[in-house]
Amino acid sequence: MRERGRRDLLVLALALALVTATAACSGSGGTSAGQGRPATGFPLTPAALPAPRVTLAEAGKELAGLLSAQEVLSRATPRQDADDRNLLEQTDDGQEALAQVALNGPVGTSPPHYTWGRPQLLVPRVQRTPFWFAAVVNRTDSAGEVRPAVLTLIKYGGERWTLSSASLLEPGARMPEIAKDAEGYATALDYEDTSVEISPRLMAPLHATSAEEGTEGFTAGLIEAGPHTTGYADEIAANRLDYKKEDCLGYDSIFAASNYPVYALRTAGGGALVTYSLVRTTTVTSKVEPCAEIVVPPDAKHLVKERRASKELRTVELQQYVSTVPAKNSRRPAKIIGYLGGITKVFVS
């Protein structure tokens, strides 16, 4: 099980990184270039603030244009290939993978149509390329259900702005207050920022470990229990028992941090709002033949022609998350507050 071996080494490395960060850093963290400032202390006056790389006006204009275009294109009748291409060109990173699946839905279906409310812009003043900003905006689906969405837009080089990530707030979850300066700009945190309990870089792999190992793993207490953490671990354990009843079938499901960007903003309490994504790979394997049927799940049937697998069925799911991480030494766990995802690939053999 080389995959498990690599995971064990990663877990050990993460544990050592957390211990080292705790011993080496004070609760306030550093203030070097690229690392977020704590929300405490005296705010800088407008005259002392550096010019923003992306202005609030630019962010508002770009977001409005993108959402308006999506509303129009998703409504287009009759649908043309150009409509789908234009919709896809407005996305990037993990959101592009999810959009591709939505546009290639079952024959005769249209892509989902949404309308959008007035956004709350979260624009970092100081940041490195590629430039980005986030927004919280109510999303209304065709059935009339309204959910707050956390959107992240990115601009690679001289290209236009695209939607990099989107997550929906979990029912009952609330956005934390984002720390802003005198002109309304947020503070982006560095990938390695250690002024919070879990640095942005470590949030995704620690979440993956929690989803696999649940309350038995070393992440217990670091990330709050819930449906997207310990809930997944309980689901995997139950599925393994169910498949074990079929002597000829094997089941496994593993999580890993994706290669897509990680975004983080300082919250008013000195913590962080972190956006990232995970990849879940689930495998059902026939140990001997003939064996019980391995059926392609309903939400993946439009991705493959086959309806059954004789040897192995492997599904790959992309999951986009928004989490809150408390300030260093707060002794409180990180919490998952937003999620959006789906199956993006299916392999049948």
Side-chain angles (χ1 to χ4, degrees):
M1 298 291 286
R2 287 180 291 177
E3 183 66 34
R4 293 294 181 189
R6 288 194 293 270
R7 170 53 59 83
D8 292 341
L9 290 174
L10 175 59
V11 168
L12 177 60
L14 293 175
L16 292 173
L18 287 173
V19 172
T20 303
T22 302
C25 301
S26 66
S28 61
T31 57
S32 59
Q35 187 170 12
R37 293 178 182 272
T40 57
F42 297 100
L44 295 174
T45 62
L49 294 170
R53 305 304 298 267
V54 180
T55 66
L56 288 165
E58 178 186 0
K61 178 182 176 181
E62 294 294 338
L63 178 63
L66 185 144
L67 295 182
S68 295
Q70 287 199 350
E71 285 191 31
V72 172
L73 290 170
S74 64
R75 233 186 246 277
T77 305
R79 294 208 60 75
Q80 304 291 333
D81 290 343
D83 298 325
D84 291 348
R85 285 197 302 270
N86 286 332
L87 275 170
L88 197 59
E89 286 173 358
Q90 294 182 341
T91 61
D92 229 314
D93 303 319
Q95 195 62 30
E96 182 178 9
L98 293 176
Q100 183 73 63
V101 171
L103 292 174
N104 293 331
V107 177
T109 62
S110 298
H113 174 72
Y114 306 111
T115 56
W116 303 88
R118 184 173 181 175
Q120 174 195 356
L121 296 173
L122 305 173
V123 184
R125 175 180 289 276
V126 179
Q127 54 176 307
R128 295 188 291 266
T129 55
F131 298 137
W132 65 278
F133 67 89
V136 184
V137 54
N138 283 341
R139 191 195 79 171
T140 305
D141 64 19
S142 55
E145 182 183 11
V146 181
R147 295 276 300 275
V150 181
L151 310 179
T152 307
L153 276 69
I154 194 167
K155 186 178 183 180
Y156 287 106
E159 299 178 9
R160 64 179 179 178
W161 287 93
T162 53
L163 182 61
S164 173
S165 174
S167 298
L168 300 178
L169 288 188
E170 293 288 280
R174 298 183 62 181
M175 276 288 293
E177 182 183 355
I178 302 299
K180 295 182 179 180
D181 62 29
E183 293 183 341
Y185 288 91
T187 298
L189 299 190
D190 188 78
Y191 195 56
E192 303 284 354
D193 191 282
T194 55
S195 65
V196 290
E197 287 284 13
I198 301 173
S199 71
R201 179 179 69 85
L202 294 180
M203 189 61 213
L206 288 175
H207 185 168
T209 301
S210 178
E212 285 189 21
E213 300 180 359
T215 56
E216 302 302 318
F218 87 95
T219 59
L222 291 175
I223 302 177
E224 187 173 287
H228 298 294
T229 53
T230 55
Y232 280 137
D234 293 341
E235 172 197 307
I236 292 170
N239 285 342
R240 283 176 178 154
L241 287 176
D242 287 341
Y243 278 94
K244 193 173 183 180
K245 295 175 184 177
E246 297 284 351
D247 292 337
C248 60
L249 289 181
Y251 171 91
D252 201 8
S253 190
I254 59 175
F255 291 77
S258 77
N259 292 324
Y260 298 126
V262 175
Y263 307 98
L265 293 171
R266 176 75 67 195
T267 61
L273 180 78
V274 185
T275 301
Y276 56 94
S277 53
L278 300 180
V279 175
R280 180 182 184 180
T281 303
T282 301
T283 306
V284 179
T285 306
S286 175
K287 298 178 181 178
V288 295
E289 295 184 49
C291 186
E293 285 189 331
I294 305 175
V295 180
V296 175
D299 56 347
K301 286 183 176 180
H302 65 285
L303 296 176
V304 289
K305 295 179 181 179
E306 297 86 354
R307 292 294 173 261
R308 292 173 177 79
S310 59
K311 295 182 179 180
E312 182 179 274
L313 172 67
R314 179 173 299 181
T315 59
V316 180
E317 181 180 352
L318 178 67
Q319 303 178 340
Q320 298 184 147
Y321 287 102
V322 179
S323 296
T324 55
V325 180
K328 197 73 174 180
N329 299 325
S330 65
R331 301 185 183 280
R332 291 182 290 113
K335 183 177 182 180
I336 314 303
I337 65 169
Y339 162 80
L340 185 67
I343 296 175
T344 56
K345 297 178 183 178
V346 180
F347 302 94
V348 176
S349 63

